[in-house]
Amino acid sequence: MQVQQLLRIAGVGVLVTVISQILTRAGREEIATMTTIAGLVIVLMMVVTLVAELLSNVQSIFGLY
């Protein structure tokens, strides 16, 4: 399951890079920047959920409340 999450993050990165390059070459630098920022936000949301899951697992392993 964790490999799936990593592949999703990598997929979003590749997709955002391709779209950003296409937009930059088309002369739409502002939209390319916004696309990059949107991709970054999406990946950060994925990472935050993974970190929350990690902290929950650590909490349950050590019996912390």
Side-chain angles (χ1 to χ4, degrees):
M1 182 152 155
Q2 297 299 327
V3 174
Q4 250 182 346
Q5 291 288 338
L6 290 175
L7 290 176
R8 283 184 189 162
I9 291 171
V12 169
V14 169
L15 184 65
V16 166
T17 301
V18 168
I19 292 172
S20 178
Q21 287 295 318
I22 291 171
L23 289 171
T24 300
R25 292 180 194 265
R28 304 284 189 167
E29 288 84 13
E30 296 87 11
I31 299 174
T33 302
M34 293 302 289
T35 303
T36 304
I37 292 171
L40 179 65
V41 168
I42 291 169
V43 169
L44 284 177
M45 288 178 9
M46 290 177 170
V47 169
V48 165
T49 58
L50 289 174
V51 169
E53 184 179 328
L54 172 69
L55 292 177
S56 175
N57 288 341
V58 168
Q59 193 175 29
S60 67
I61 288 172
F62 291 110
L64 304 173
Y65 297 102

